[in-house]
Amino acid sequence: MNRSAGSSARDRHPLPKRSLFDPRIVRGALVEAVKKLHPRVQARNPVMFVVLVGSVVTTVLFIVDAGGNTAAENVFAALVTLFLWFTVLFANFAEAMAEGRGKAQADTLRKTRAETMALRRRPDGTVEKVPATQLTVGDECVVAAGEIIPGDGDVIEGVASVDESAITGESAPVIRESGGDRSAVTGGTRVLSDVIVVRITARPGETFLDRMIALVEGAERKKTPNEIALNILLSGLTIIFLLAVVTLQPFAFYSGAQQNVVVLIALLVCLIPTTIGALLSAIGIAGMDRMVQRNVLAMSGRAVEASGDVTTLLLDKTGTITLGDRQAAAFVPMPGVSEDRLAIAAYRSSLADDTPEGRSIVSYAKAHHGVEGHGVNGHGQGDTAVLVPFSATTRMSGVDDDGYQVRKGATDAVQRWVKESGGEVPGALADVAEGIAGAGGTPLAVAEVHDGTARVLGVVHLKDVVKAGMRERFDQLRAMGIRTVMVTGDNPRTARAIADEAGVDDVLAEATPEDKLALIRREQRGGALVAMTGDGTNDAPALAQADVGVAMNTGTQAAKEAGNMVDLDSNPTKLIEVVEIGKQLLITRGALTTFSIANDVAKYFAIIPAMFSGVLPALDRLNIMGLASAESAILAAVIFNALVIVALIPISLRGVKFRALTAATMLRRNLLLYGLGGLVAPFVGIKLIDIAISALGVF
Amino acid sequence: MSGAGWVQFVVLIIVLLVTAPLLGRYIARVYGDEKKAPGDRVFLPVERLIYRICRVDPEREQRWTRYALSLIGFSLVSFLALFGLQRLQGSLPLNPVELPSVAPNVAFNVAVSFTTNTNWQAYGGESTMSHLTQMGGLAVQNFVSAAVGMAVMAALIRGLARRRASTLGNFWVDLTRGTVRILLPLSFLVALVLISQGVIQNFNGHTVATTVEGARQLIPGGPGASQIAIKQLGTNGGGFFDMNSAHPFENSTVVSNFVETWAILIIPFAMAFAFGRMVGDRRQGRAVFGIMLAVWGAMSIGAMLTESGGNPRLDDLGVSQTITEDQSGGYLEGKEVRFGPAASGLWAASTTGTSNGSVNSMHDSATPLGGGLAMAHMMFGEVSPGGVGVGLNGLLIMAILAVFIAGLMVGRTPEYLGKKIQAAEMKLVMLYVLAMPAVLLTFAAISAVYGNALGSLNNDGPHGLSEILYGFASAANNNGSAFAGLDSSTTWYTTTQGIAMLVGRFLLIIPVLALAGSMVRKERVPASPGTMPTHTPLFGGLVVGVVVIVAGLTFFPALALGPIVEHLSL
């Protein structure tokens, strides 16, 4: 998991890329939109169900009354009926569009899930060939190079390199071995070398691949808690408007202006929150889809929603905040040694060091001291040089070249080497080394034996390097009211130094998994919602306790089951993106709810004067839009109400633009945009449609 | 509008700005979780005596269900007692003019009306009720029905303020403390001021007088001031006299009129500050106060201006409605000349913004727009500032609704005061929001086409519809004021309005208590820059928008056929 940040998930996605409005998806969605007219589907959405019933009633009325009506009355009833049906169809279309990309991707995954055969090991050690679908928990299977692993499980014997690109999209093979945190294998991936024995841990039909298909397809999509609450609000509003419209007829009767039922239904459909009712499920599906596009599999929509609510982020230091490895940050020479001299020696001693630390010394010397072209022997390439690689006993690496020797390594090891070679160790060395360690860095001493004289040249300061842009990220998170806690095994002093540099709010140093769990519980008791990433089995309790637990795909099966999301890229920095996607989902939902309700004001000003100004001419003064006729006013409102759904499909699928701002600023911006915009837009829209209708000469 | 009208309005606001925070601080101590409260030396012995007699353990807190059951039980007993008293008053003492017992349908309506803090009067005060019924029945309910509303508010605030708790306080304790510590002392003070202004307070029957023209006139007597003080303070509104606060014995001078207007508003406004203190964030209380003040202020100015502006039809007839030395100007039909159109408009907005319902002018005679404003003000759900206790409840419900609709736009699931608003809470909020319009629109719609009900109308056309709408808006919002043209003593109206009052009271109170019970269990998410601020002017504007849009969308069609078309036809 120590992969560097910024690895682009998009390039390595296992699923075929499709744009949101891929023509194939649009075609499929058009068909789905009609299929979704089934009352059982509609009944799940109370608002749209009312529209469906309204459409059926107006259709029946149109047919029944057609004979007795004038041509103009028939055209009016037909057009209202038509656009009521369109309202339902547009809502279905929006949902089908949101589901489209996931469905297409699930189909691809199904194709790649070939019918695999497994070699199951009998208790006596012999093997039998069975279909993978018959494997049950506890079965042991032998998988050799070139074969596909038949199911999810743990390696219990052997070690092998495995190609997991079918799941992760990552083509570089990974090592899987028995015992420890790298034992988990996923069904559908391919063994590239060696032979392993896998003990199956997933029941047939419940494997990771199965779950992945179900998730991208949205087959098991349940309404999230906030969606349920929002549906209650929308149903409540629908009932209120139903009351307002139903009681309007007696009031109209009293006033001598009895209304046509088609007109009353048109008014009802315009008033109930159809816009958000039509787009609500599309917004939720699209939110899940955006997670999938970033290679994060959320096990439920609830988890996506919770990620928007997160108030505390637990971030592992290594790999998330800092690059995985320590890097050279400075050369500190001993008295009497020039810095360049030290740089050259450090460079030479590291040429043989293939660790990330060693490589970082080489590149630092090149970049900051212009050390270039020095061969191993210091004066061009020599053949006599002997590389001395790092070993656990010497804890040094270096080069021997014809009497010239250079070593780099742990301070005490280098000290001993210098003393053994007859040199003096300057007192400054201990001070410098201690200073570096105190600041959270790692000191590496560099020494040489030149012409028989051994001496210490100086110290290389290795330190954790905070990834670029992290401070800005944390500032943004803070602005959004999210507290960041860095979790590390380092001692408190080191941890604090890195935390200050990165700009996180708090530190959990010398952290054990138990500490992590305790921290999460403490935060939650204080009302916080906590998100974290983890990969090891000992992370599992914390992942389960956290409100949002993102398990790395490279992690153990236990970790993946404990969390409520899996990151296929195993990139812990992605936790921040997960939070942003969650917030974006909620903002989109809120924006369109506000927009939808604000829309109603204009519709009243269109429809009420149209209904009554015939009998009560004074009410024509409410026709502030100056709509051409009663019929065109009502039609314009109905048409606007239907078209606004289509107009808002892109925003509900892509989500509103997200910017890291404080809640107060976001509220002001969005209220202005969607609240005020929602008030004004329909005045303009209805007027334009009215102009079009009268220009066409319909009414 | 006259300069005096403006001065009166501005002075009232200043007096409210000074007195409401002070009273709010006191109320917060009365209902707060602290052990000690001011005035313990005087009040505690009285309360302990009451607890001992009623066998109440003041330390024992109740969950919302028990709290609600206590409240319903208390209201039921109150209803039965008041019903019985009216039916038997003919054979009971303190009945100097020997009034007969009250008819059963009226007695039912009145008993419901006074136990629900509505004080709709389907009867003439001085000509129907004996002194005993007035004092031992109606006045008692004026106190305790107001205290019940305040108790519910205390429970809701505790639900919001406490975290991971289960109980909301003790209904009997809240009822007792509210009555003893808030309503009684304030009423005593206000009654004294009113008596000083000439409002009557005696046990006399009718005094026979001979007028200048030689006619014989019966001048009523009775314990007026004491009852009028609590009728205003407790947002009850039921007049001692049929003419309510337009009667000179109830409201004699400009000073008494000012004091009574203040008394209508003071406790509901003070509740906002009490709320802020009890939830430990005074900014929240100030925001709520600001919302209440903005809506009440706008409606008041609207009503004052329309009534002062006069009626254009009269201009056409050559009648002067301008302010001159000889006349106060404006539209004076149904108004007391000693108050004038501005003070009448201000009162009309204040009595409908609270659930008071007392009147100093006849709303039926107001301009269509003025009457419409009064009606709309009730249809807002009476949250500006609303009835004692229940007004704040309504406003908090609206705030929760606003948070839920717009709160998502900050990228979090909605929360109010750190408490998450989820499906369970939304169900209760929607129940609350639905109950009043449902009963109002349903009964009004039937009354608009039911021949028997139409017989009660004094007018036809849009104004007749306004009378129906106003009647049910008043009943369903527990207001009690009337468009006097409607004869509401028929069986149809006493029954339907009785039901509307019960729905408007208990189908609002029970969801509020359930909501408090649900909220009290929750943890409060600590506030951070990611929390939607609920104390800013922007949020205040949002809540006002939600109040106006929700009511507007619900009632606009009906209003369009009543007061709006009537106004546009002028």
Side-chain angles (χ1 to χ4, degrees), chain A residues 466-483:
Chain A
V466 175
K467 286 182 183 174
M470 287 317 279
R471 182 172 271 281
E472 290 72 27
R473 259 338 228 308
F474 293 135
D475 287 345
Q476 285 177 355
L477 288 171
R478 199 171 303 113
M480 291 191 285
I482 296 172
R483 219 165 74 83

Side-chain angles (χ1 to χ4, degrees), chain A residues 225-226 228-237 239-241 243-244 246-255 257 267 271 305 308-311 478-482 524-529 582-584 586-594 597-598 600-601 604-605 608-609 612 616 618-622 658 661-664 666-668 670-671 674-675 679, chain B residues 163-164 401 404-415 420-424 426-430 433-434 437-449 454 457 459-466 468-469 523-526 528-533 536 538-539 541-542 549-550 552-558 560-562 564-570:
Chain A
N226 178 256
I228 292 170
L230 193 54
N231 255 317
I232 292 169
L233 171 79
L234 299 181
S235 308
L237 289 176
I239 296 172
I240 290 181
F241 292 130
L243 263 169
V246 168
T247 56
L248 184 55
Q249 186 71 312
F251 294 141
F253 186 81
Y254 171 95
S255 310
L267 175 66
L271 290 182
E305 203 170 275
D309 277 348
V310 161
T311 54
R478 199 171 303 113
M480 291 191 285
I482 296 172
Q524 286 173 334
R525 260 200 304 279
L529 277 94
K583 285 199 177 295
Q584 192 190 25
L586 295 175
I587 295 172
T588 309
R589 204 181 274 163
L592 295 187
T593 305
T594 308
I597 295 171
D600 279 1
V601 176
Y604 263 140
F605 280 97
I608 293 293
F612 295 109
L616 305 165
L619 280 178
D620 197 45
R621 282 166 63 185
L622 291 179
F658 177 79
L661 299 167
T662 63
M666 262 198 260
L667 183 67
R668 199 172 325 117
N670 290 332
L671 213 49
Y674 298 100
L679 274 178
Chain B
R163 47 183 70 184
R164 286 175 187 257
L401 193 60
F404 191 83
I405 293 172
L408 282 170
M409 287 196 294
V410 307
R412 282 224 217 151
T413 57
E415 59 199 37
K420 289 272 173 217
I421 321 260
Q422 288 155 319
M426 276 320 284
K427 271 186 205 150
L428 297 166
V429 167
M430 289 322 288
V433 173
L434 267 170
V439 70
L440 195 173
L441 286 172
T442 306
F443 281 139
I446 298 172
S447 301
V449 289
L454 290 170
L457 294 181
N459 291 278
D460 54 8
H463 199 75
L465 188 60
S466 294
I468 297 172
L469 285 171
E523 184 54 78
R524 279 173 83 167
V525 180
S528 76
T531 313
M532 170 160 152
T536 57
L538 181 72
F539 180 74
L542 177 67
I549 288 183
V550 167
L553 294 179
T554 312
F555 297 112
F556 185 77
L561 296 177
I564 294 177
V565 70
E566 195 186 349
H567 170 74
L568 294 175
S569 309
L570 281 180

Side-chain angles (χ1 to χ4, degrees), chain A residues 32 130 135 143 164 188 200 203 292 297 378 395 400 469 478 488 520 560 577 597 637 670 673:
Chain A
E32 277 295 305
V130 294
L135 292 176
V143 191
E164 295 194 335
I200 298 297
R203 272 187 289 275
V292 173
L297 288 186
R395 293 191 293 147
D400 289 350
R478 199 171 303 113
T488 171
I520 294 173
K560 281 197 248 180
E577 279 178 62
I597 295 171
N670 290 332
L673 201 59

